[in-house]
Amino acid sequence: MTDTASTPLPVHADGPEGPYREIVDGLRAEFRAGRTRSMAWRRAQLEGLLAMLNDHEDDFVRALQEDLGRPVLEAFTADVGASKQEIAHTLKHMERWAKPRRAGVPLTGLPGRARVVPEPLGVALVIAPWNYPIQLLLLPMAAALAAGNCVVAKPSEVSPACSAVLARLIPRYLDDKAVVVIEGGVPETTAILEQRFDHIFYTGSTDVGRVVMRAAAEHLTPVTLELGGKSPTIVAADADLDVAAHRIVWGKTLNAGQTCVANDYLLVEASVRDVLVDKMTAVIGEYFGADPQRSDSFGRIVNERHLARLTGLLEGHGGTIVTGGTADVEDRYLAPTIVVDPDVDSPLMTQEIFGPVLPVISVESVDDAIDFVNDRPKPLALYVYSRSKETVERVLGQTSSGGACVNHGIVHLIVPDLPFGGVGPSGMGAYHGQTGFDTFSHLKSVLEKPTKPDPPLLYAPYSSWKEKLIRKVL
Ligand code: NAD
């Protein structure tokens, strides 16, 4: 146990920090008792999460419909199903991930045996956003629990139905002495962030990411920040434009475009721009019919504030709306919209869109597209459509992004062995698969030495023969 040096702090259940200090102190005591370290406990938590998702799939789907007007298939695939896949993968492999990892020992360290020992950090805080409110809370939680930590989980108040279901069900399926769900908005999260955690895992906007990191700095708590930004899609003239149109429209309309890794905007070689735009317009009709508002396959904007933000982006961009552009405030509906050649300095092209609006920018060449990307903050994802391996490698090699996908978008997320995270302003740290387990572990270096032999090489008095020998091996 490592915490014995710190003086226990008094509990201020009714003080300005609310009950949070007491909650975190309770979890820390639970962690120090050592129960959460056993593999059996860790397994039970992940099995609990899976059982919860299986037993209450309908509750989760209904909550997603209420908060986001999610079509059933999208509710299942992107939140319930995606969570189940990742948790099952973690259950399958976590015993191996938790084992000490052998490390080589150089001549100067011999004789000796080296290993890296993953150990749980303690009490982790997971703060989730509203757009995939189930998945983005449960996946980091699963990684933290697999690594043997206690968890405070804070769902987003912006998706209140999902927050309520999570708060109701998690204590029923998980060890409620080691896992606590706290609902609430900015005041509650601010007070929670005043507590000392051993890791903070935040998913949300870049602006709030700064708030979280500042709060974490007070306690020197490490953070994982899963943030946002504008993820570009580059379409080369030699791309399969039919496939590109289908996949791009899918990526932009999934969850009504409210996806952190949605293709925010397109950079299209000018020679194929009109053909691609026509194809994408046709695909919107194919997916959602003549009136997408009546389609069962198209979701809604999370609230009126976000809808107003999006309709605001559709004003004064200087481009041409070729399809969509209409909204219905009462229904929180915004039509799938394509805007051709907007002003690159307009808010539509400088702010993350996070809705079903797709700006299309013409570029003369793929190299111009690469320059366009490199002139802007590093994105969370980058997508490239081309039949040429050379073009694909050039784009990947000359740009930086959290992740990338070739000839598709978003789906790189479903590969558990691919670390998921941003770079620069799109985030720091990563998770999914073993990367998530490692994020919530301290990788402790251990070198074990036998007591014999005990050569005096490093000990004083220093002499010329010792120096000669050391210079030979170093
Ligand atoms: P949000 O409003 O739900 O906020 C996220 C969380 O931060 C919530 O739990 C909220 O309570 C908390 N929060 C908000 N303001 C706060 C403050 N001032 N102090 C402390 N806590 C605060 O979600 P959002 O920020 O609107 O989410 C959308 C953003 O998240 C987009 O930029 C999107 O790209 C990004 N995102 C990133 C990922 C990723 O995996 N990288 C995934 C989803 C969303």
Side-chain angles (χ1 to χ4, degrees):
M1 298 294 134
T2 52
D3 273 339
T4 43
S6 63
T7 318
L9 293 162
V11 171
H12 297 294
D14 302 311
E17 291 182 90
Y20 305 125
R21 179 173 293 182
E22 192 178 6
I23 290 171
V24 177
D25 283 350
L27 292 177
R28 199 172 298 288
E30 206 52 39
F31 177 72
R32 287 178 57 178
R35 241 165 11 95
T36 68
R37 289 172 183 256
S38 85
M39 200 42 71
W41 182 89
R42 302 183 197 195
R43 281 196 164 280
Q45 306 317 304
L46 268 71
E47 281 161 4
L49 285 176
L50 275 185
M52 176 182 81
L53 288 164
N54 285 327
D55 296 350
H56 293 279
E57 183 184 313
D58 289 349
D59 291 324
F60 288 116
V61 169
R62 258 196 307 277
L64 287 160
Q65 285 178 317
E66 201 177 311
D67 286 333
L68 291 150
R70 245 331 153 77
V72 174
L73 186 74
E74 281 185 17
F76 177 76
T77 314
D79 267 289
V80 179
S83 301
K84 281 167 55 170
Q85 173 181 290
E86 174 76 15
I87 294 166
H89 178 84
T90 303
L91 259 172
K92 189 166 168 201
H93 298 285
M94 65 189 200
E95 204 153 336
R96 179 167 54 81
W97 298 339
K99 287 210 165 92
R101 304 163 197 182
R102 277 186 60 175
V105 180
L107 192 60
T108 44
L110 291 174
R113 275 199 317 226
R115 61 186 187 273
V116 176
V117 183
E119 62 177 26
L121 296 168
V123 183
L125 171 64
V126 175
I127 303 176
W130 51 264
N131 61 329
Y132 291 90
I134 312 299
Q135 179 193 159
L136 296 176
L137 190 79
L138 297 189
L139 260 54
M141 276 182 71
L145 295 167
N149 297 283
C150 293
V151 175
V152 172
K154 217 298 287 174
S156 175
E157 75 283 11
V158 182
S159 44
C162 290
S163 179
V165 176
L166 289 160
R168 176 166 62 85
L169 295 179
I170 287 175
R172 285 207 224 152
Y173 283 84
L174 268 62
D175 178 348
D176 63 358
K177 289 199 167 56
V179 181
V180 174
V181 182
I182 301 178
E183 291 191 86
V186 175
E188 289 80 7
T189 317
T190 305
I192 294 168
L193 283 168
E194 282 168 17
Q195 312 309 311
R196 181 169 75 82
F197 291 94
D198 299 285
H199 193 89
I200 298 176
F201 190 106
Y202 171 79
T203 306
S205 66
T206 300
D207 282 346
V208 178
R210 288 193 182 91
V211 174
V212 170
M213 198 164 171
R214 267 196 291 271
E218 275 304 308
H219 301 285
L220 283 180
T221 299
V223 291
T224 303
L225 300 177
E226 298 282 345
L227 309 176
K230 288 179 89 63
S231 297
T233 296
I234 297 174
V235 184
D238 70 346
D240 182 328
L241 296 180
D242 276 321
V243 169
H246 280 88
R247 294 180 180 178
I248 289 166
V249 171
W250 172 75
K252 195 54 165 178
T253 53
L254 173 74
N255 200 25
Q258 300 160 112
T259 303
C260 55
V261 283
N263 30 253
D264 189 281
Y265 63 94
L266 298 194
L267 298 166
V268 189
E269 282 198 273
S271 60
V272 295
R273 187 199 70 184
D274 291 346
V275 184
L276 180 65
V277 168
D278 287 349
K279 284 184 188 292
M280 291 192 301
T281 306
V283 168
I284 291 172
E286 191 187 307
Y287 286 175
F288 308 115
D291 181 4
Q293 191 169 4
R294 297 161 64 108
S295 166
D296 290 341
S297 302
F298 187 61
R300 293 296 181 265
I301 304 305
V302 70
N303 57 31
E304 284 184 20
R305 183 170 63 83
H306 277 279
L307 183 58
R309 180 183 63 74
L310 285 162
T311 50
L313 292 180
L314 286 176
E315 285 161 16
H317 49 68
T320 309
I321 295 180
V322 295
T323 186
T326 54
D328 178 344
V329 178
E330 283 201 353
D331 192 23
R332 290 187 280 136
Y333 168 78
L334 180 61
T337 300
I338 297 176
V339 184
V340 170
D341 281 342
D343 179 352
V344 296
D345 296 321
S346 65
L348 184 66
M349 280 307 296
T350 53
Q351 295 175 16
E352 180 179 0
I353 295 170
F354 225 54
V357 179
L358 181 66
V360 180
I361 308 284
S362 316
V363 288
E364 284 312 310
S365 66
V366 169
D367 287 325
D368 286 352
I370 291 172
D371 283 341
F372 191 97
V373 171
N374 289 336
D375 282 343
R376 288 163 177 75
K378 291 180 181 178
L380 185 58
L382 180 143
Y383 307 122
V384 51
Y385 288 82
S386 171
R387 287 188 169 101
S388 153
K389 203 168 160 30
E390 189 276 325
T391 301
V392 167
E393 289 309 319
R394 191 149 41 97
V395 170
L396 296 179
Q398 294 183 15
T399 59
S400 176
S401 57
C405 207
V406 178
N407 290 321
H408 214 316
I410 300 179
V411 290
H412 58 302
L413 253 73
I414 61 180
V415 182
D417 285 341
L418 288 179
F420 175 61
V423 55
S426 57
M428 62 182 70
Y431 71 134
H432 289 188
Q434 184 172 1
T435 308
F437 180 93
D438 287 353
T439 286
F440 287 99
S441 302
H442 168 58
L443 300 180
K444 184 160 75 183
S445 299
V446 178
L447 177 65
E448 218 171 304
K449 300 281 284 180
T451 51
K452 286 193 179 77
D454 187 26
L457 206 57
L458 297 175
Y459 307 153
Y462 304 135
S463 61
S464 58
W465 73 264
K466 289 181 182 173
E467 187 177 338
K468 256 191 220 146
L469 211 60
I470 286 172
R471 283 186 184 281
K472 267 210 167 110
V473 285
L474 284 182

